[in-house]
Amino acid sequence: MSSERASRIDTRVIHGGQRAEPVTGAVVPPIFTSATFAQAAPGEHKGFEYSRSHNPTRYAFERMMASLESSPLTEDDDPSCGTFAFASGMATMATLLDLLATGDRIVSMDDLYGGSRRLLSMVRERSQGLDLAYADLSDPEAFSAAMTPDTRMVWVETPTNPMMKLADLSALAKIARRKSPDAILVCDNTFASPVNQRPLEHGFDIVMHSTTKYVNGHSDVVGGVAVVKDAALAARVRFLQNAIGAVMNPFDAYLTLRGVKTLAVRMERHNTNGLAIARFLEQHPKVERVLYPGLPSHPQHELFQRQMDGAGGMVSFYLDGDLDRVKKLVAELRVFQLAESLGAIESLVNHPAIMTHASVPSETRSALGITDSLVRLSVGIEHVEDLLADLEGALSAV
Ligand SMILES: *Cc1c(COP(=O)(O)O)cnc(C)c1O
């Protein structure tokens, strides 16, 4: 598979980690629903004992994700190349947090996905005694100040949701290695997708995704995945995945593998549609400000150019007006549907303060800039003229 690893990501999304099924030659991996696998003699089996521990369909998806995230691990290091699929993005995060011991310190981005912040602040601080330090990791100096020698894990999201701030992954990795060499560096890469950004290439140890979003891309499966760069760390995550058991089931692994095969062509369209819509909104008189790393006006546009291969379909903006005007706007939209979630082929609009980020305390929300006039778009892959016309019509009605 080394030659396949060298190929471009547009090719790897089709073939990464894949091979014909050995018994029948099936090109598409079958959905192996079997909970258990026959053994020739006690302990003598083909690498599969019980489906929580190992499942061939899940493995096929996991190996694909290892390839897409540029994992250096092979099947000689780990049967699924150090990559582990879970029942959801949150199940992935919960399992990774179990790499930590009671009372360990974790430094995390302040502008986190609401559910991630909820798991840290409302569950693991209580149940695991985690010492939580939130900082604006888009500022390497703020990170450096938060990064103490006893920090055991760093949790970064970039671009952030919904403020679209970027963290300089190479710079953070360098600072972290200097301050606390053994800290595990995790990047939640859900917003970017591996087509637009690959954190392991920037010195991170683990990359995770809510595969519910761009990776599957069709709003019909909830799931998550973690790709681990180091074999010893991968062995620890493999142990935890099996011990905790929040695994992705074979049907979802099949569907998500099917979905990811179009990731490169989907992202190409998300990138061009996202940029066109960000440009349109930026010049619109009823829009105060647009947050999109692909725009030259984004304060970290230079970092975007260095670190990412595209800016994706996530566009946030401040409408010039109050909550009533925002409600009117979303009510007028026809193609953009009002819904949570993101990263799928259909365009969605979301009001972070009331919807996705309602679980974030209101003081934190206002400190981050998540006000009532902030709107977040997940731009899909429809024809861009239809999306622009939808926004134009709704904006002229408010
Ligand atoms: C959705 C999301 C999650 C949580 O994933 P689920 O699949 O919904 O459990 C985590 N991080 C980010 C950035 C997300 O967008």
Side-chain angles (χ1 to χ4, degrees):
M1 272 198 284
S2 50
S3 59
E4 160 235 306
R5 290 262 165 101
S7 59
R8 291 167 181 81
I9 201 156
D10 310 59
T11 305
R12 300 207 309 271
V13 296
I14 316 292
H15 300 290
Q18 307 303 300
R19 66 172 88 85
E21 199 274 320
V23 176
T24 61
V27 168
V28 173
I31 306 172
F32 285 95
T33 58
S34 192
T36 188
F37 299 84
Q39 307 199 1
E44 205 180 296
H45 54 77
K46 298 178 162 72
F48 299 94
E49 292 171 88
Y50 183 65
S51 260
R52 167 165 35 74
S53 321
H54 357 80
N55 177 276
T57 315
R58 196 176 79 222
Y59 274 14
F61 170 62
E62 290 170 336
R63 288 173 183 150
M64 165 65 80
M65 291 306 297
S67 169
L68 297 188
E69 284 292 0
S70 301
S71 162
L73 299 186
T74 66
E75 285 176 61
D76 292 334
D77 300 307
D78 176 88
S80 58
C81 307
T83 299
F84 307 96
F86 295 88
S88 67
M90 294 322 306
T92 311
M93 183 179 191
T95 303
L96 294 176
L97 290 178
D98 277 323
L99 288 164
L100 300 175
T102 307
D104 276 357
R105 178 178 171 90
I106 174 169
V107 172
S108 153
M109 190 76 179
D110 55 0
D111 180 14
L112 270 191
Y113 171 72
S116 303
R117 191 162 177 129
R118 176 175 55 206
L119 178 60
L120 287 170
S121 292
M122 297 168 80
V123 182
R124 294 311 184 91
E125 189 173 27
R126 170 182 57 75
S127 69
Q128 199 176 354
L130 290 185
D131 175 12
L132 308 175
Y134 292 108
D136 179 358
L137 305 191
S138 68
D139 172 8
E141 286 186 11
F143 176 64
S144 189
M147 194 66 202
T148 54
D150 66 339
T151 299
R152 293 282 164 262
M153 186 176 274
V154 174
W155 195 279
V156 185
E157 253 177 59
T158 180
T160 63
N161 173 7
M163 300 307 292
M164 308 304 293
K165 288 193 284 192
L166 303 187
D168 184 336
L169 296 172
S170 302
L172 298 194
K174 225 177 268 166
I175 294 166
R177 297 293 178 227
R178 197 172 65 232
K179 295 245 176 169
S180 179
D182 297 330
I184 300 168
L185 312 182
V186 188
C187 181
D188 180 338
N189 202 29
T190 302
F191 251 52
S193 92
V195 168
N196 282 343
Q197 173 175 276
R198 289 161 304 280
L200 300 188
E201 295 175 3
H202 299 281
F204 270 59
D205 300 308
I206 300 178
V207 50
M208 68 82 63
H209 286 273
S210 164
T211 57
T212 315
K213 317 295 168 54
Y214 283 115
V215 169
N216 178 61
H218 292 73
S219 297
D220 55 3
V221 194
V222 170
V225 74
V227 184
V228 184
K229 191 180 189 176
D230 169 79
L233 187 57
R236 292 173 63 198
V237 177
R238 174 167 292 286
F239 172 82
L240 290 172
Q241 184 196 37
N242 184 47
I244 296 166
V247 294
M248 180 179 279
N249 74 60
F251 291 99
D252 289 354
Y254 164 79
L255 272 175
T256 310
L257 179 58
R258 190 182 203 269
V260 81
K261 287 182 184 177
T262 55
L263 184 66
V265 288
R266 282 189 280 114
M267 290 317 297
E268 212 174 292
R269 181 68 84 94
H270 284 298
N271 290 342
T272 53
N273 280 2
L275 183 61
I277 281 168
R279 282 187 177 138
F280 163 79
L281 291 171
E282 189 164 52
Q283 53 73 47
H284 200 284
K286 288 183 181 163
V287 173
E288 232 165 47
R289 193 152 80 89
V290 181
L291 313 175
Y292 187 72
L295 288 176
S297 61
H298 190 282
Q300 297 169 293
H301 186 62
E302 182 273 327
L303 171 59
F304 157 75
Q305 289 174 313
R306 258 192 294 132
Q307 182 165 286
M308 301 182 73
D309 296 328
M314 301 307 299
V315 181
S316 297
F317 68 95
Y318 291 99
L319 188 70
D320 183 9
D322 57 7
L323 183 58
D324 284 341
R325 277 188 115 181
V326 171
K327 282 187 172 163
K328 173 86 175 146
L329 175 82
V330 300
E332 290 291 331
L333 288 166
R334 294 289 171 267
V335 184
F336 284 87
Q337 294 177 74
L338 183 64
E340 298 195 5
S341 199
L342 61 104
I345 51 177
E346 69 277 348
S347 290
L348 301 177
V349 58
N350 163 53
H351 187 266
I354 295 178
M355 297 166 64
T356 45
H357 289 65
S359 67
V360 177
S362 63
E363 324 80 77
T364 311
R365 278 205 307 266
S366 35
L368 293 172
I370 307 174
T371 66
D372 280 348
S373 54
L374 183 71
V375 177
R376 189 191 78 185
L377 301 177
S378 174
V379 178
I381 64 170
E382 300 93 336
H383 198 291
V384 70
E385 294 300 334
D386 292 328
L387 298 177
L388 290 169
D390 196 31
L391 285 166
E392 178 71 73
L395 281 166
S396 58
V398 303

Short mmCIF file of all heavy atoms in Angstrom, two decimals, residues 87-93 112-116 155 157 159 161 188-191 208-213 221-224 341-342 376, ligand 1:
data_model
loop_
_atom_site.label_atom_id
_atom_site.label_comp_id
_atom_site.label_asym_id
_atom_site.label_seq_id
_atom_site.Cartn_x
_atom_site.Cartn_y
_atom_site.Cartn_z
N ALA A 87 -19.11 5.21 17.31
CA ALA A 87 -20.54 5.40 17.06
C ALA A 87 -20.91 6.85 16.79
O ALA A 87 -21.96 7.13 16.21
CB ALA A 87 -21.34 4.88 18.25
N SER A 88 -20.07 7.80 17.21
CA SER A 88 -20.34 9.22 16.95
C SER A 88 -19.04 10.00 17.18
O SER A 88 -18.06 9.43 17.70
CB SER A 88 -21.42 9.76 17.91
OG SER A 88 -20.95 9.77 19.24
N GLY A 89 -19.06 11.25 16.80
CA GLY A 89 -17.91 12.10 17.10
C GLY A 89 -17.70 12.21 18.59
O GLY A 89 -16.56 12.16 19.08
N MET A 90 -18.79 12.34 19.35
CA MET A 90 -18.65 12.48 20.80
C MET A 90 -18.12 11.19 21.44
O MET A 90 -17.35 11.24 22.40
CB MET A 90 -19.98 12.89 21.45
CG MET A 90 -20.49 14.28 21.07
SD MET A 90 -19.22 15.57 20.90
CE MET A 90 -18.38 15.47 22.45
N ALA A 91 -18.53 10.04 20.92
CA ALA A 91 -17.99 8.77 21.43
C ALA A 91 -16.49 8.69 21.16
O ALA A 91 -15.73 8.14 21.97
CB ALA A 91 -18.71 7.58 20.78
N THR A 92 -16.06 9.25 20.03
CA THR A 92 -14.63 9.29 19.71
C THR A 92 -13.89 10.14 20.75
O THR A 92 -12.87 9.71 21.31
CB THR A 92 -14.42 9.91 18.31
OG1 THR A 92 -15.30 9.27 17.39
CG2 THR A 92 -12.98 9.76 17.84
N MET A 93 -14.42 11.34 21.00
CA MET A 93 -13.77 12.23 21.96
C MET A 93 -13.76 11.61 23.35
O MET A 93 -12.73 11.65 24.05
CB MET A 93 -14.50 13.58 21.99
CG MET A 93 -13.85 14.59 22.92
SD MET A 93 -14.72 16.18 22.89
CE MET A 93 -13.54 17.21 23.79
N LEU A 112 -14.86 26.00 21.02
CA LEU A 112 -15.02 24.58 20.66
C LEU A 112 -16.43 24.29 20.21
O LEU A 112 -17.37 24.97 20.62
CB LEU A 112 -14.80 23.70 21.89
CG LEU A 112 -13.44 23.17 22.28
CD1 LEU A 112 -13.63 22.11 23.37
CD2 LEU A 112 -12.71 22.55 21.10
N TYR A 113 -16.59 23.22 19.44
CA TYR A 113 -17.91 22.67 19.16
C TYR A 113 -18.66 22.54 20.49
O TYR A 113 -18.10 22.06 21.49
CB TYR A 113 -17.75 21.30 18.49
CG TYR A 113 -19.04 20.53 18.35
CD1 TYR A 113 -19.99 20.92 17.42
CD2 TYR A 113 -19.29 19.42 19.14
CE1 TYR A 113 -21.18 20.22 17.30
CE2 TYR A 113 -20.47 18.71 19.01
CZ TYR A 113 -21.41 19.12 18.09
OH TYR A 113 -22.58 18.41 17.97
N GLY A 114 -19.92 22.97 20.53
CA GLY A 114 -20.68 23.01 21.78
C GLY A 114 -20.70 21.68 22.52
O GLY A 114 -20.54 21.63 23.75
N GLY A 115 -20.86 20.59 21.79
CA GLY A 115 -20.94 19.27 22.42
C GLY A 115 -19.60 18.86 23.02
O GLY A 115 -19.56 18.16 24.05
N SER A 116 -18.50 19.30 22.41
CA SER A 116 -17.18 18.97 22.94
C SER A 116 -16.95 19.70 24.24
O SER A 116 -16.44 19.15 25.22
CB SER A 116 -16.09 19.35 21.92
OG SER A 116 -16.32 18.70 20.70
N TRP A 155 -6.26 19.97 22.92
CA TRP A 155 -7.42 19.69 22.05
C TRP A 155 -7.70 20.93 21.21
O TRP A 155 -8.09 21.96 21.74
CB TRP A 155 -8.64 19.32 22.90
CG TRP A 155 -9.71 18.68 22.05
CD1 TRP A 155 -10.62 19.32 21.26
CD2 TRP A 155 -9.94 17.27 21.91
NE1 TRP A 155 -11.40 18.38 20.61
CE2 TRP A 155 -11.00 17.13 21.00
CE3 TRP A 155 -9.35 16.13 22.45
CZ2 TRP A 155 -11.50 15.89 20.61
CZ3 TRP A 155 -9.84 14.89 22.07
CH2 TRP A 155 -10.91 14.78 21.15
N GLU A 157 -9.42 22.70 17.63
CA GLU A 157 -10.29 22.65 16.46
C GLU A 157 -9.87 23.78 15.56
O GLU A 157 -9.69 24.91 16.03
CB GLU A 157 -11.73 22.95 16.90
CG GLU A 157 -12.66 21.80 16.91
CD GLU A 157 -14.04 22.21 17.43
OE1 GLU A 157 -14.66 23.10 16.84
OE2 GLU A 157 -14.45 21.64 18.44
N PRO A 159 -10.66 25.02 11.26
CA PRO A 159 -11.27 26.27 11.71
C PRO A 159 -12.27 26.00 12.85
O PRO A 159 -12.84 24.91 12.92
CB PRO A 159 -12.01 26.79 10.48
CG PRO A 159 -11.47 26.02 9.32
CD PRO A 159 -11.00 24.72 9.86
N ASN A 161 -15.69 26.62 15.21
CA ASN A 161 -17.13 26.64 14.95
C ASN A 161 -17.79 27.50 16.02
O ASN A 161 -17.71 27.12 17.18
CB ASN A 161 -17.62 25.18 15.03
CG ASN A 161 -19.09 25.02 14.96
OD1 ASN A 161 -19.82 25.97 14.71
ND2 ASN A 161 -19.55 23.81 15.19
N ASP A 188 -9.31 18.18 16.19
CA ASP A 188 -10.63 17.85 15.64
C ASP A 188 -10.68 18.49 14.25
O ASP A 188 -10.78 19.71 14.12
CB ASP A 188 -11.71 18.41 16.58
CG ASP A 188 -13.13 18.11 16.08
OD1 ASP A 188 -13.30 17.87 14.87
OD2 ASP A 188 -14.07 18.14 16.91
N ASN A 189 -10.60 17.65 13.23
CA ASN A 189 -10.47 18.11 11.85
C ASN A 189 -11.80 18.09 11.09
O ASN A 189 -11.83 18.13 9.87
CB ASN A 189 -9.43 17.23 11.13
CG ASN A 189 -8.81 17.89 9.91
OD1 ASN A 189 -8.71 19.11 9.84
ND2 ASN A 189 -8.41 17.08 8.94
N THR A 190 -12.90 18.00 11.85
CA THR A 190 -14.23 17.86 11.25
C THR A 190 -14.55 18.97 10.26
O THR A 190 -15.08 18.71 9.18
CB THR A 190 -15.30 17.88 12.37
OG1 THR A 190 -15.03 16.81 13.28
CG2 THR A 190 -16.69 17.73 11.82
N PHE A 191 -14.23 20.22 10.62
CA PHE A 191 -14.61 21.37 9.79
C PHE A 191 -13.85 21.42 8.48
O PHE A 191 -14.36 21.93 7.49
CB PHE A 191 -14.36 22.66 10.58
CG PHE A 191 -15.61 23.35 11.02
CD1 PHE A 191 -16.59 22.65 11.69
CD2 PHE A 191 -15.82 24.69 10.75
CE1 PHE A 191 -17.76 23.27 12.08
CE2 PHE A 191 -16.98 25.33 11.14
CZ PHE A 191 -17.95 24.63 11.81
N MET A 208 -9.08 13.66 14.85
CA MET A 208 -10.41 13.04 14.97
C MET A 208 -11.41 13.78 14.10
O MET A 208 -11.21 14.94 13.75
CB MET A 208 -10.87 12.94 16.44
CG MET A 208 -11.20 14.23 17.16
SD MET A 208 -12.85 14.92 16.87
CE MET A 208 -13.94 13.68 17.53
N HIS A 209 -12.47 13.06 13.74
CA HIS A 209 -13.56 13.63 12.96
C HIS A 209 -14.89 13.20 13.53
O HIS A 209 -15.03 12.06 13.96
CB HIS A 209 -13.56 13.09 11.51
CG HIS A 209 -12.48 13.63 10.65
ND1 HIS A 209 -12.62 14.79 9.94
CD2 HIS A 209 -11.25 13.16 10.39
CE1 HIS A 209 -11.51 15.02 9.26
NE2 HIS A 209 -10.66 14.05 9.53
N SER A 210 -15.85 14.10 13.48
CA SER A 210 -17.22 13.65 13.47
C SER A 210 -17.47 13.31 12.01
O SER A 210 -17.60 14.20 11.15
CB SER A 210 -18.16 14.77 13.93
OG SER A 210 -19.49 14.43 13.56
N THR A 211 -17.52 12.00 11.69
CA THR A 211 -17.72 11.60 10.28
C THR A 211 -19.14 11.89 9.81
O THR A 211 -19.45 11.78 8.63
CB THR A 211 -17.40 10.10 10.09
OG1 THR A 211 -18.24 9.33 10.97
CG2 THR A 211 -15.94 9.80 10.38
N THR A 212 -20.00 12.27 10.78
CA THR A 212 -21.35 12.72 10.48
C THR A 212 -21.33 13.86 9.46
O THR A 212 -22.30 14.05 8.72
CB THR A 212 -22.00 13.26 11.78
OG1 THR A 212 -21.73 12.35 12.85
CG2 THR A 212 -23.48 13.46 11.64
N LYS A 213 -20.25 14.62 9.45
CA LYS A 213 -20.19 15.86 8.67
C LYS A 213 -19.58 15.58 7.29
O LYS A 213 -20.10 14.76 6.57
CB LYS A 213 -19.42 16.90 9.48
CG LYS A 213 -19.79 16.94 10.98
CD LYS A 213 -21.21 17.38 11.26
CE LYS A 213 -21.63 17.13 12.70
NZ LYS A 213 -20.77 17.68 13.73
N VAL A 221 -25.75 9.40 8.42
CA VAL A 221 -25.08 8.53 9.39
C VAL A 221 -24.39 9.39 10.44
O VAL A 221 -23.75 10.38 10.10
CB VAL A 221 -23.96 7.65 8.75
CG1 VAL A 221 -23.53 6.55 9.71
CG2 VAL A 221 -24.37 7.06 7.42
N VAL A 222 -24.52 8.99 11.70
CA VAL A 222 -23.76 9.64 12.79
C VAL A 222 -22.57 8.74 13.09
O VAL A 222 -22.73 7.52 13.24
CB VAL A 222 -24.66 9.80 14.03
CG1 VAL A 222 -23.84 10.25 15.25
CG2 VAL A 222 -25.77 10.81 13.76
N GLY A 223 -21.38 9.33 13.14
CA GLY A 223 -20.21 8.51 13.43
C GLY A 223 -18.98 9.36 13.71
O GLY A 223 -19.01 10.59 13.59
N GLY A 224 -17.91 8.68 14.10
CA GLY A 224 -16.67 9.40 14.39
C GLY A 224 -15.47 8.51 14.12
O GLY A 224 -15.59 7.28 13.99
N SER A 341 -26.15 20.62 12.43
CA SER A 341 -25.22 19.81 11.64
C SER A 341 -24.69 20.61 10.46
O SER A 341 -25.04 21.79 10.25
CB SER A 341 -25.84 18.49 11.15
OG SER A 341 -24.77 17.61 10.80
N LEU A 342 -23.77 19.99 9.72
CA LEU A 342 -23.02 20.70 8.70
C LEU A 342 -22.29 19.70 7.83
O LEU A 342 -22.22 18.51 8.14
CB LEU A 342 -21.99 21.63 9.38
CG LEU A 342 -20.93 20.93 10.26
CD1 LEU A 342 -19.58 20.85 9.58
CD2 LEU A 342 -20.77 21.63 11.59
N ARG A 376 -24.73 31.08 10.75
CA ARG A 376 -23.73 30.16 10.19
C ARG A 376 -24.35 29.39 9.03
O ARG A 376 -25.41 28.81 9.18
CB ARG A 376 -23.26 29.18 11.27
CG ARG A 376 -22.06 28.32 10.83
CD ARG A 376 -21.80 27.19 11.79
NE ARG A 376 -22.74 26.09 11.59
CZ ARG A 376 -22.81 25.00 12.37
NH1 ARG A 376 -22.00 24.86 13.41
NH2 ARG A 376 -23.69 24.04 12.11
C1 LIG B 1 -20.57 17.46 15.13
C2 LIG B 1 -19.25 17.70 15.71
C3 LIG B 1 -18.76 16.90 16.75
C4 LIG B 1 -19.61 15.81 17.39
O1 LIG B 1 -19.84 14.76 16.53
P1 LIG B 1 -21.17 13.82 16.58
O2 LIG B 1 -20.96 12.92 15.43
O3 LIG B 1 -22.35 14.73 16.43
O4 LIG B 1 -21.16 13.14 17.89
C5 LIG B 1 -17.49 17.15 17.21
N1 LIG B 1 -16.73 18.13 16.69
C6 LIG B 1 -17.17 18.92 15.70
C7 LIG B 1 -16.29 20.00 15.18
C8 LIG B 1 -18.44 18.74 15.18
O5 LIG B 1 -18.88 19.54 14.21
#
